[in-house]
Amino acid sequence: MVKEKYFYYLFLINALINIINFVPRVLIDNRFEGALMSIFLSVVIGTTLLVSFTKLIGHFPGEGLPEIVLTSLPRMIGIPLLTILAFLWYESGAITLVSFVDITIRYISPDVSPLFAILVFLLLVTLSSRLKTDSILYALEITIIINVPLVVYMLFKALLNPYFSWDAVMQVITHLWSMPNYNTIAGATFIFTGYVNLAIFNRAFKSMKPRHLWMIPVSGLLILLITLLVPIGYHGTIGVEDQVYPWFSTADSIRSEFFVVERVLFMFYFTYLSLSLVTAVIHWHIALEIIKAFSFKKKKNLKTAYNKDWWILVPMTLATIGMGFYFDQVKLTLFGQLFLNVRLIGEVLLVSTIFVAYRRRKKRA
């Protein structure tokens, strides 16, 4: 069993990865139309879902979502439900990989073949997603320890830069009371989504009673404000809308005169490359574990290893390659927004499922 600090690691890596995903684009597109208000609302919504799910799954120590659902709900309900949730986890990992291929070609090496880049990423992710749950958590800890200091360093470089325009930031703040739409709320709440990974990683915890949960809404609010306002401070309230990946364009605007690498972009890229790959491994590991559970009919065999991972991973890999070839920049952005919208509904569905399972278990006891 692992310590409860890994719960915070799951939250933190998702919060950090939100900077390069589609969240900044969604918030920036609505910077005059409720983005700031959506941030404050998302802290309330995201924290409520996070605390509710954490408290509920704490009643199932050592159990994952498949065990909870298939032993508490009828299979005719449990199997379709698990299928939907597994698909959402798969898509989360796949869209992260496809986005990073586009980032690699756009900012780092335009001559690299998209097929070669995505195959390299997929090879690493598919092999790593078959590891044991505990091993993935230990790798997550190493990744966080190495990369968080670099992220903090780059953030200070950004905020202390003399070219950072606080006037542009203040102009956006004047639109604080504009009411948000569903798209911005769905995008902003993504920062709290790391808690859903307990659906499988709860197997590694002897108990789930994390302390100091107040740190999550506070840190979530700060990260969301930074996600929206720092690119605006560099590119202006109007110029920022022309940036496809605002944070990579921001990183490319910063220099580090006394560091090993002068261009912060390269440091930013490799930092977020490692975070993205680990995130994709986590999401595909969860999707893999959920789908594997369909093969078990007896309750006592739900945790038995089923050595046919590749029958699941190969279709996932081929579908991701297909996404890489099908999506151009416009389609990828639209699909990213659609995913964020559906994901929020999926989170509510997940929390509701655990609540129903808890009530049914309680009645049986």
Side-chain angles (χ1 to χ4, degrees):
M1 297 295 177
V2 299
K3 297 181 180 179
E4 291 177 355
K5 64 180 179 179
Y6 291 94
F7 166 76
Y8 293 98
Y9 292 155
L10 289 170
F11 163 76
L12 185 57
I13 192 170
N14 192 85
L16 292 175
I17 208 70
N18 111 101
I19 286 179
I20 65 160
N21 222 318
F22 301 97
V23 177
R25 184 73 268 159
V26 172
L27 294 177
I28 288 170
D29 286 345
N30 295 275
R31 60 198 180 280
F32 301 130
E33 300 169 355
L36 278 173
M37 182 60 69
S38 72
I39 288 175
F40 290 101
L41 290 176
S42 71
V43 172
V44 177
I45 296 170
T47 303
T48 301
L49 290 172
L50 183 148
V51 173
S52 300
F53 183 81
T54 305
K55 298 292 185 183
L56 287 169
I57 206 166
H59 294 287
F60 304 93
E63 294 186 60
L65 182 64
E67 296 95 291
I68 296 171
V69 170
L70 296 180
T71 58
S72 303
L73 302 175
R75 288 183 69 88
M76 62 181 298
I77 297 176
I79 294 295
L81 186 62
L82 290 173
T83 302
I84 293 171
L85 294 173
F87 180 76
L88 288 176
W89 264 294
Y90 156 72
E91 282 296 343
S92 181
I95 202 169
T96 299
L97 292 175
V98 173
S99 298
F100 223 89
V101 169
D102 186 51
I103 290 169
T104 300
I105 295 172
R106 185 181 297 269
Y107 289 98
I108 302 300
S109 184
D111 297 328
V112 171
S113 166
L115 178 61
F116 175 77
I118 198 168
L119 285 177
V120 171
F121 291 162
L122 284 170
L123 179 63
L124 293 171
V125 171
T126 51
L127 290 175
S128 301
S129 62
R130 299 178 70 244
L131 295 172
K132 293 181 179 180
T133 301
D134 292 4
S135 299
I136 293 177
L137 284 175
Y138 298 144
L140 169 61
E141 180 177 25
I142 295 171
T143 305
I144 290 292
I145 291 173
I146 293 174
N147 288 294
V148 166
L150 293 174
V151 173
V152 173
Y153 169 78
M154 289 182 283
L155 177 60
F156 274 105
K157 288 292 296 183
L159 292 175
L160 299 177
N161 195 302
Y163 296 103
F164 186 89
S165 174
W166 289 101
D167 290 337
V169 171
M170 293 303 299
Q171 185 176 351
V172 172
I173 293 177
T174 60
H175 296 269
L176 171 63
W177 300 109
S178 300
M179 295 307 296
N181 54 37
Y182 177 75
N183 288 349
T184 51
I185 293 176
T189 52
F190 178 76
I191 192 174
F192 298 96
T193 301
Y195 73 90
V196 302
N197 296 323
L198 287 174
I200 290 298
F201 288 97
N202 190 56
R203 292 173 176 173
F205 291 89
K206 186 176 181 180
S207 65
M208 179 46 60
K209 297 179 181 178
R211 295 171 293 177
H212 309 300
L213 284 175
W214 60 268
M215 293 189 300
I216 289 181
V218 172
S219 59
L221 175 61
L222 291 176
I223 293 173
L224 280 171
L225 291 174
I226 290 169
T227 299
L228 170 65
L229 298 177
V230 169
I232 290 174
Y234 271 89
H235 304 289
T237 56
I238 304 302
V240 72
E241 67 185 14
D242 298 326
Q243 309 302 321
V244 178
Y245 296 101
W247 269 88
F248 275 89
S249 298
T250 300
D252 201 22
S253 305
I254 307 171
R255 294 293 181 270
S256 180
E257 297 83 0
F258 305 108
F259 206 68
V260 177
V261 181
E262 181 181 356
R263 291 185 68 186
V264 172
L265 174 65
F266 292 113
M267 190 192 318
F268 189 82
Y269 172 81
F270 286 108
T271 297
Y272 273 89
L273 174 62
S274 61
L275 292 173
S276 296
L277 291 177
V278 172
T279 300
V281 168
I282 290 171
H283 292 164
W284 278 29
H285 175 73
I286 294 173
L288 178 63
E289 291 297 314
I290 292 176
I291 297 172
K292 283 163 61 175
F294 297 168
S295 303
F296 306 125
K297 297 182 179 180
K298 296 181 180 180
K299 297 179 183 178
K300 64 181 180 180
N301 292 330
L302 281 174
K303 293 185 181 179
T304 304
Y306 192 63
N307 194 22
K308 289 189 177 179
D309 294 355
W310 290 109
W311 290 102
I312 303 170
L313 288 171
V314 168
M316 291 168 62
T317 299
L318 294 176
T320 305
I321 294 173
M323 287 174 59
F325 279 98
Y326 175 73
F327 287 137
D328 55 21
Q329 185 56 59
V330 175
K331 291 178 181 177
L332 184 60
T333 301
L334 292 175
F335 185 79
Q337 177 66 77
L338 176 63
F339 169 76
L340 290 174
N341 292 349
V342 174
R343 172 211 54 83
L344 180 56
I345 298 172
E347 283 188 35
V348 176
L349 178 63
L350 176 63
V351 175
S352 302
T353 300
I354 299 298
F355 175 73
V356 172
Y358 166 66
R359 293 296 299 270
R360 290 174 68 91
R361 285 270 188 101
K362 192 175 181 181
K363 287 182 179 179
R364 293 176 187 174

